[in-house]
Amino acid sequence: MYNKALEYYQKSLAIREELLGKLHSATAESYNNIGAVYKDMKHQAKALKYYQKAISIQKKVLPEKHPSLATAYNNLGLLYQALDKPSKALEYLHSALDIREKVLGGEHFLTAISYSSLSYIYQSAHKYSKSYHYAQLAFNNFLLNREKVFTVLDAKQKEKYLKSTAKYISSLLSSAYRYIYQLNRQSNTKEIRKILHSTTNAWLNYKGSIFDSENTIAMLYASTKDKKLKAKIDDLVSSKRYLAKLYQSLPKPKEIDSWKKSIKEIQEKINRLTKQIASKATIFKEQQGLKNISYQDITSHLEKDELYIDYAKAGEYYYLFSLDHRENISFTRIDKKSTKKINTLVKSFREDITAIINDTNITDKKLKTLTVSSKEKLSQLYDLIIKKPLGNIIKDKRSLIISPDGALRLLPFETLYDKENNQYFIQKKEIRYIPSGKELVRLYRYSKEKKSKDKNSTVIFANPNFNTKIASLSKEEIAITPNTNRSGIIKSLFRMRFAPLPGTKAEAKAIKATLIEDTVSEYQESRATESTLMKIKEPHILHIATHGFFINDATIPNPMLKSGIALAGANKSAIRGKSDGIVTALKLSGLDLGGTDLVVLSACQTGVVDINSTDSVSGLSKAFIQAGAKDIVMSLWSVDDEATKELMTSFYQEMKGKEKSYAEALKSAKLKMIEDGRHPFYWGAFVVSGL
């Protein structure tokens, strides 16, 4: 609403000129503000007039090296760039940087803005060496400040902070890609290696920072002998679980104010405890060598036939890094048009999946048509995200460790289709996933530290009675309707009703028969309760076969409340405004799975993540990783009951008595279903995250 903005800025200017005079710093600020509005309106000549007026005043009333003068110089420099006058733009931007470096220092966030502005100008002028230099300075400044900022922010504030500073990683990747392209033409291999190393390290230390920050607290708890610190972390975990319970409760109308007050108080307590623990966690990360990692921390653990592939969605592009055991690095950018196409194809493929889910009586003819349609989309995706950017790099690699980003977090790479060889990608490669490079390094270093007390212990939750002990509702309960303006989690959860899953009973039976040598604890129907699950401690394998859910609702205050699983009594809880049985990721993060090797989430949408989130991992996956689990099998869409039973039974059969990794076992189970000509809907949803 530019005209309204101008109206009020003009009133502000008039008052300041009358009361403070024309030569005052506040008056200059008004001129700057008006200039900024005209710049946004593309009225460059008017913007220039007001910016120059502001600088004229500030030069007369402020010291020569005042930070406000630097801001004015920076504004004017960017305007000259818009006017296609790069030399004038650089003159003013360097003047701004000179002041900020001398007065504020190289670590100040305003100095980072100057670095970023200069990188942008030099990139526009095709001076990629200087562009990369300033982009690197800006990013290093951001990285340093991120560590400080994270110690005083809660999860939602961290998300906002990362979105507001996303330009730093985007600028770095863009300038690095262009600079390497230029160096390639000059055959300057030494400088190329240097840029590849520093850019790869930058991305590895950027991705998944919220997850990394939260996960460090869980690691700190497992390692520390400080009883007071342990007590604080215990308090933090129990407070988060209580907050989840509050958000899932439906208060009576007369209790709404006290309910809101309780939520506010517990959230403040969580924020306070998080901040108190954060400084200890930062020191711990430094001691463990996890504050900043390098590409060598990954390559040193890779086998000869393994390849680590990391996708980066930054700005309007996808970038791709790959690493092998010999420290060979590839770094490429997928062009803007192809990036848009990738997102469209992923969405379209998932629409095919949704069509199958929604058609309860789907015909063979329609299924065949959808299979042809999906293969075409998956073939195009294969060309765009695997074949073209990686080419021969993956030719001799048997196993791929993939860290996806953007819309690719909703795509199982196993389903990609190589039209030329008439094969799904899973038929060619073994695939597993990891949220970020840092998480992979953490798993490499700590996966062998703690083992389950009983390496043959398996716990199975299946076939929950969602309506257990449900009785007729009282008049008072009927009168309580979820139409009051409350949090999104309540409105969404109270719309849920969970249908029986008889296939999970057969699934549990088949798995149990496979694990005849194991100690199997089984909880079904009314015994498959939330309270029982939360008491489970460190089984070797935890298998949960039930409904999962993901609520893509921006009003939900905590991302860990968006996803969860349903256990016994979930329907009763949803109707009566209770939380028992509806187990959100926030609750599950309080589990004790420090020695658990594998968690299998045989449920719907357990790996789904909000693609607009800066976090790189789904809420449920995050919860079980933070609880201590090493590997997780999860799903990327609503799965078919019978097909899942078949896949899971085969998965456990492939593991038993065979020297196979979880990824190998899952691959073998999927191949059997592919041989039967099944659409990827039936076998593609489940993926393995971890080592």
Side-chain angles (χ1 to χ4, degrees), residues 334-351:
I334 297 172
D335 64 73
K336 197 181 297 184
K337 184 179 177 181
S338 295
T339 293
K340 285 183 179 179
K341 192 174 182 181
I342 288 167
N343 292 340
T344 301
L345 287 167
V346 171
K347 183 182 178 183
S348 185
F349 168 63
R350 290 186 66 88
E351 285 170 354

Side-chain angles (χ1 to χ4, degrees), residues 143 153 320 323 392 661:
L143 216 58
L153 298 183
L320 187 152
L323 305 171
N392 289 327
S661 67

Side-chain angles (χ1 to χ4, degrees), residues 648-668:
M648 288 299 163
T649 303
S650 182
F651 170 59
Y652 279 93
Q653 287 171 344
E654 289 296 328
M655 281 196 297
K656 198 64 182 174
K658 300 172 185 175
E659 295 293 323
K660 284 188 176 182
S661 67
Y662 298 132
E664 286 174 320
L666 189 58
K667 174 182 177 177
S668 296

Side-chain angles (χ1 to χ4, degrees), residues 336-379:
K336 197 181 297 184
K337 184 179 177 181
S338 295
T339 293
K340 285 183 179 179
K341 192 174 182 181
I342 288 167
N343 292 340
T344 301
L345 287 167
V346 171
K347 183 182 178 183
S348 185
F349 168 63
R350 290 186 66 88
E351 285 170 354
D352 287 351
I353 298 295
T354 303
I356 297 173
I357 294 167
N358 292 338
D359 193 340
T360 52
N361 296 305
I362 192 165
T363 63
D364 289 342
K365 184 179 178 181
K366 184 174 180 181
L367 198 54
K368 190 174 181 180
T369 302
L370 280 170
T371 301
V372 172
S373 167
S374 295
K375 276 187 173 180
E376 180 55 38
K377 294 161 190 173
L378 293 166
S379 172

Side-chain angles (χ1 to χ4, degrees), residues 395-406:
K395 192 174 181 179
D396 63 340
K397 304 302 178 186
R398 175 190 59 85
S399 177
L400 307 179
I401 306 168
I402 298 174
S403 181
D405 201 19

Side-chain angles (χ1 to χ4, degrees), residues 353-613:
I353 298 295
T354 303
I356 297 173
I357 294 167
N358 292 338
D359 193 340
T360 52
N361 296 305
I362 192 165
T363 63
D364 289 342
K365 184 179 178 181
K366 184 174 180 181
L367 198 54
K368 190 174 181 180
T369 302
L370 280 170
T371 301
V372 172
S373 167
S374 295
K375 276 187 173 180
E376 180 55 38
K377 294 161 190 173
L378 293 166
S379 172
Q380 291 181 55
L381 280 166
Y382 174 74
D383 288 344
L384 289 169
I385 64 177
I386 296 293
K387 189 176 180 179
K388 288 180 181 177
L390 289 168
N392 289 327
I393 295 172
I394 64 168
K395 192 174 181 179
D396 63 340
K397 304 302 178 186
R398 175 190 59 85
S399 177
L400 307 179
I401 306 168
I402 298 174
S403 181
D405 201 19
L408 297 178
R409 290 179 288 180
L410 298 177
L411 176 73
F413 281 62
E414 291 92 329
T415 64
L416 295 174
Y417 188 68
D418 179 357
K419 188 187 289 186
E420 186 180 337
N421 294 301
N422 191 27
Q423 282 183 313
Y424 287 106
F425 202 33
I426 189 65
Q427 293 174 279
K428 302 168 67 171
K429 306 292 179 184
E430 175 197 309
I431 300 167
R432 62 191 192 276
Y433 300 84
I434 200 76
S436 66
K438 271 199 174 182
E439 175 58 12
L440 185 61
V441 171
R442 186 189 73 82
L443 282 173
Y444 280 139
R445 292 183 184 175
Y446 299 102
S447 63
K448 297 178 182 178
E449 276 196 1
K450 194 171 183 182
K451 295 288 184 183
S452 173
K453 294 170 185 175
D454 182 356
K455 67 176 183 178
N456 293 319
S457 63
T458 299
V459 174
I460 299 173
F461 279 74
N463 192 32
N465 182 352
F466 303 117
N467 299 316
T468 183
K469 296 183 181 178
I470 193 164
S472 58
L473 303 182
S474 68
K475 289 181 180 179
E476 184 183 27
E477 287 172 319
I478 291 169
I480 301 170
T481 55
N483 59 5
T484 316
N485 184 20
R486 305 193 185 115
S487 83
I489 188 77
I490 293 224
K491 289 185 287 186
S492 299
L493 283 177
F494 278 85
R495 286 198 295 266
M496 287 186 185
R497 294 296 179 271
F498 301 102
L501 290 170
T504 64
K505 183 177 182 179
E507 180 181 324
K509 184 179 179 181
I511 292 169
K512 194 174 180 181
T514 305
L515 302 171
I516 51 174
E517 298 173 7
D518 290 11
T519 305
V520 180
S521 302
E522 191 178 356
Y523 302 93
Q524 291 201 42
E525 298 181 348
S526 60
R527 296 180 67 230
T529 64
E530 175 185 329
S531 59
T532 303
L533 176 63
M534 299 310 293
K535 291 173 187 173
I536 298 296
K537 290 186 182 295
E538 302 181 19
H540 181 62
I541 296 174
L542 174 61
H543 184 99
I544 303 173
T546 183
H547 282 294
F549 61 84
F550 174 74
I551 307 163
N552 198 1
D553 187 336
T555 65
I556 294 175
N558 188 319
M560 297 288 276
L561 290 167
K562 289 184 175 184
S563 53
I565 58 173
L567 292 175
N571 286 342
K572 175 186 174 183
S573 293
I575 293 168
R576 291 186 165 174
K578 308 285 184 175
S579 70
D580 293 341
I582 301 172
V583 197
T584 60
L586 192 59
K587 287 182 182 178
L588 291 165
S589 61
L591 281 164
D592 183 1
L593 303 177
T596 299
D597 209 51
L598 174 68
V599 171
V600 179
L601 299 174
S602 183
C604 300
Q605 305 186 85
T606 49
V608 175
V609 63
D610 181 357
I611 63 169
N612 295 315
S613 169

